[in-house]
Amino acid sequence: MNLSNAQYLEILNHSLSSGGEYSEIFYEDFYGTSIVYDNGKIEKINFSSTKGASIRVVSAEETIFAHTNDPTYENLMSLAETLRKNASERFGSNNIVKVKELKEAEKRDFAPFEIPFDNVSVEQKVEKVIKGVELLKNADKRIKQITVSYADSSRKVKIVNSEGKIVEDIRNYPRYAAIIFAQDEEGNLFRGYSSDGANMGFEFFTDEMIEKVAKDAVRQVVSQIEGVDAPAGEFTVVLSSEAGGTMIHEACGHGMEADLVLSGSVYREKVGKKIASQKITVVDDGTDKNKRGTLNYDDEGTPTQRTVLIEKGVLKGYMHSKITAKKFGVEPTGNGRRESYMVLPIVRMRNTMILPGEDDPKDIIKSVKYGIFVRKMGGGQVDVISGDFQFGVDEGYIIENGEIKQSIRGASLVGNGLKVLESIDMVGNDLGYGVGTCGKDGQGAPVSDAQPTIRIPKLIVGGIVKGGNN
């Protein structure tokens, strides 16, 4: 979308000519490749690309929005006219905003990259898939089914708004995953899964990364095959840093997104109050170099930052878009994100984590006479209003007399996010990341989450317990 500043000004001012406090043009140019090995062969190679732009006009709590997949000057002016007519009916105003000049925002580079994905042949990308397949084939004779997936995408965005800013950013998302099924002597199948991702170029796909993904998937499925049924009851639980930050992302992070706070999340009206152990500091960091949730600017053109959510147990604030920030009377935090130009931005996490503490992870394990060690978390459910959660455990072990012993299977963790935060009494000096694509309101957003090794003195383990750990 190579329009002149004069054309951008004309589009913005026309969209605001019948009323509105804020207008924004959002342009996106996306391409991606996905490769999947399954059923003993490369099952599919897909290429995708989209290009388009949208305009939104905001007045108080109302938003009007339109988009096009052919972002020419003429088409954008047509969208602006549609919005102008709509604005005159919905929020006409005598105080017309006039944008006088545009200025390019400063360049930021928290996600540097070396090799663009479109500079790499499909054959080279397939080689990365085959590398993982061969490692898994030779790992354990009990493995019966192997699926390895490669994905890359590049997303160039440009945001021009009535605040007079022109923001450009590029996001490169590599992703690698392995899913395996292995069979025990009785014919039972067990699943192992591992993945990794970032915001960087093709250089992400190193042999070391692929070997780690394969090794983690194998270790996980072996722990299931050789495991015993998980005990049920209330235990001391140690969450490994390798578990990633699923707990903090799901049980805490969503409830601190300002739009969900407005909907009545468990963290509403608790800013300035102690809600967690003094050992707990939680941040959502959009500037963590090359992590999957890292952005230079969010999808509203706000520069990203390290947003402190909890500091030494005290709730300091929430994650905000422009709209929620205005409602709360604070500055936006750079958490306004959208899946594509065809949808409106909403409040989303980026890289959400509990910061490391002072305890040695080995000492945390030694402190437990009998409990559960969670090495990998699984999926689960969270009620953001109450904070109650239930998560599966993909890889877990018994801790006995301060040592990690027998692996377990079929475990789940049931509790309440606030109560868990309050009860954590040991925080490791390590930090481990997990990656994913977070879903909310029908939109997906690349994210990562992280945590150190932590000890929860009492948590319900086993089957579903209605209402959580009350």
Side-chain angles (χ1 to χ4, degrees):
M1 190 174 68
N2 295 315
L3 306 184
S4 68
N5 281 10
Q7 289 174 315
Y8 288 130
L9 283 170
E10 188 176 1
I11 294 164
L12 289 170
N13 284 323
H14 192 72
S15 69
L16 290 166
S17 60
S18 290
E21 301 167 1
Y22 172 84
S23 180
E24 165 194 276
I25 303 166
F26 179 87
Y27 168 78
E28 174 185 34
D29 187 354
F30 168 93
Y31 69 85
T33 303
S34 64
I35 304 168
V36 177
Y37 174 96
D38 197 13
N39 297 318
K41 64 181 185 297
I42 296 294
E43 190 77 19
K44 64 178 181 178
I45 301 176
N46 289 338
F47 306 96
S48 58
S49 64
T50 58
K51 184 184 293 186
S54 59
I55 304 174
R56 68 166 171 161
V57 178
V58 180
S59 180
E61 296 188 10
E62 280 200 82
T63 298
I64 53 178
F65 175 76
H67 59 81
T68 176
N69 61 5
D70 186 13
T72 62
Y73 165 73
E74 292 77 15
N75 286 343
L76 289 172
M77 278 298 292
S78 177
L79 292 186
E81 170 62 12
T82 299
L83 295 175
R84 183 198 68 78
K85 290 179 179 177
N86 202 323
S88 67
E89 298 170 2
R90 294 177 60 176
F91 43 77
S93 172
N94 294 323
N95 299 317
I96 303 301
V97 174
K98 184 80 172 178
V99 191
K100 295 181 180 180
E101 63 177 356
L102 297 170
K103 184 178 180 180
E104 289 190 6
E106 66 172 326
K107 299 296 182 185
R108 311 173 91 216
D109 197 10
F110 296 113
F113 64 99
E114 298 173 14
I115 307 172
F117 300 127
D118 57 357
N119 284 5
V120 182
S121 69
V122 176
E123 289 76 17
Q124 288 174 283
K125 297 177 182 182
V126 169
E127 285 176 10
K128 299 297 183 182
V129 175
I130 298 304
K131 168 75 175 176
V133 171
E134 292 303 318
L135 289 169
L136 292 166
K137 280 183 176 179
N138 297 319
D140 194 300
K141 64 181 181 181
R142 292 171 291 186
I143 295 174
K144 303 302 179 184
Q145 184 176 335
I146 295 170
T147 302
V148 174
S149 63
Y150 164 106
D152 68 48
S153 65
S154 183
R155 187 178 185 229
K156 297 176 183 177
V157 301
K158 188 171 188 175
I159 301 133
V160 186
N161 65 34
S162 57
E163 296 171 349
K165 290 170 63 175
I166 300 175
V167 173
E168 294 187 77
D169 197 11
I170 181 168
R171 297 86 181 259
N172 297 296
Y173 295 123
R175 185 86 186 267
Y176 195 88
I179 303 173
I180 56 177
F181 287 91
Q183 193 173 55
D184 66 10
E185 292 179 353
E186 280 121 35
N188 300 306
L189 284 174
F190 297 90
R191 177 182 180 270
Y193 170 80
S194 183
S195 69
D196 202 358
N199 183 349
M200 62 191 303
F202 186 75
E203 66 274 8
F204 166 79
F205 294 100
T206 63
D207 286 351
E208 291 77 15
M209 181 279 297
I210 294 171
E211 288 166 6
K212 185 178 185 307
V213 167
K215 182 180 177 182
D216 287 354
V218 172
R219 188 194 65 242
Q220 189 184 116
V221 80
V222 169
S223 78
Q224 296 284 313
I225 289 177
E226 298 178 355
V228 297
D229 290 341
E234 193 172 64
F235 299 95
T236 297
V237 174
V238 175
L239 295 184
S240 167
S241 60
E242 291 183 72
T246 300
M247 177 78 76
I248 196 66
H249 177 99
E250 295 290 353
C252 305
H254 279 301
M256 296 179 193
E257 293 170 332
D259 53 349
L260 295 182
V261 173
L262 289 167
S263 298
S265 94
V266 69
Y267 300 101
R268 185 171 183 170
E269 298 180 353
K270 287 187 169 63
V271 172
K273 297 180 181 179
K274 187 175 184 297
I275 64 165
S277 161
Q278 191 174 354
K279 293 176 178 285
I280 296 297
T281 295
V282 177
V283 302
D284 182 75
D285 192 351
T287 67
D288 200 352
K289 186 178 178 181
N290 286 119
K291 297 304 180 187
R292 184 165 164 82
T294 295
L295 306 163
N296 294 308
Y297 291 87
D298 74 0
D299 292 328
E300 298 181 300
T302 302
T304 54
Q305 61 183 38
R306 173 182 259 208
T307 303
V308 178
L309 302 171
I310 301 172
E311 186 173 33
K312 294 182 179 179
V314 177
L315 182 63
K316 305 300 286 187
Y318 307 118
M319 292 167 275
H320 286 284
S321 64
K322 285 182 181 291
I323 289 177
T324 65
K326 185 175 180 181
K327 291 178 180 178
F328 279 82
V330 298
E331 292 297 314
T333 56
N335 289 86
R337 304 181 66 184
R338 59 180 109 198
E339 186 176 56
S340 80
Y341 72 91
M342 292 183 281
V343 292
L344 287 166
I346 54 177
V347 184
R348 306 303 301 273
M349 282 175 275
R350 299 162 307 192
N351 306 300
T352 313
M353 67 196 79
I354 300 175
L355 295 185
E358 298 179 354
D359 296 306
D360 187 321
K362 293 179 182 177
D363 291 338
I364 296 177
I365 294 167
K366 287 178 183 177
S367 73
V368 180
K369 185 175 181 180
Y370 188 86
I372 304 297
F373 179 73
V374 178
R375 191 162 185 174
K376 287 290 182 183
M377 295 280 284
Q381 296 178 332
V382 179
D383 182 336
V384 297
I385 305 299
S386 67
D388 291 343
F389 65 79
Q390 179 181 339
F391 297 117
V393 175
D394 284 345
E395 183 179 356
Y397 301 84
I398 297 291
I399 302 174
E400 195 168 4
N401 295 321
E403 295 183 356
I404 297 173
K405 298 287 190 178
Q406 175 69 49
S407 60
I408 57 174
R409 60 194 181 203
S412 62
L413 306 179
V414 181
N416 178 275
L418 268 178
K419 291 184 178 181
V420 166
L421 287 176
E422 291 169 353
S423 70
I424 292 169
D425 62 357
M426 297 185 79
V427 179
N429 55 19
D430 54 347
L431 187 68
Y433 285 81
V435 301
T437 299
C438 176
K440 178 182 173 182
D441 293 352
Q443 297 190 43
V447 297
S448 72
D449 39 53
Q451 68 168 57
T453 300
I454 59 175
R455 189 178 93 149
I456 305 167
K458 292 182 180 180
L459 191 62
I460 293 173
V461 177
I464 298 172
V465 179
K466 188 175 181 181
N469 185 12
N470 291 317

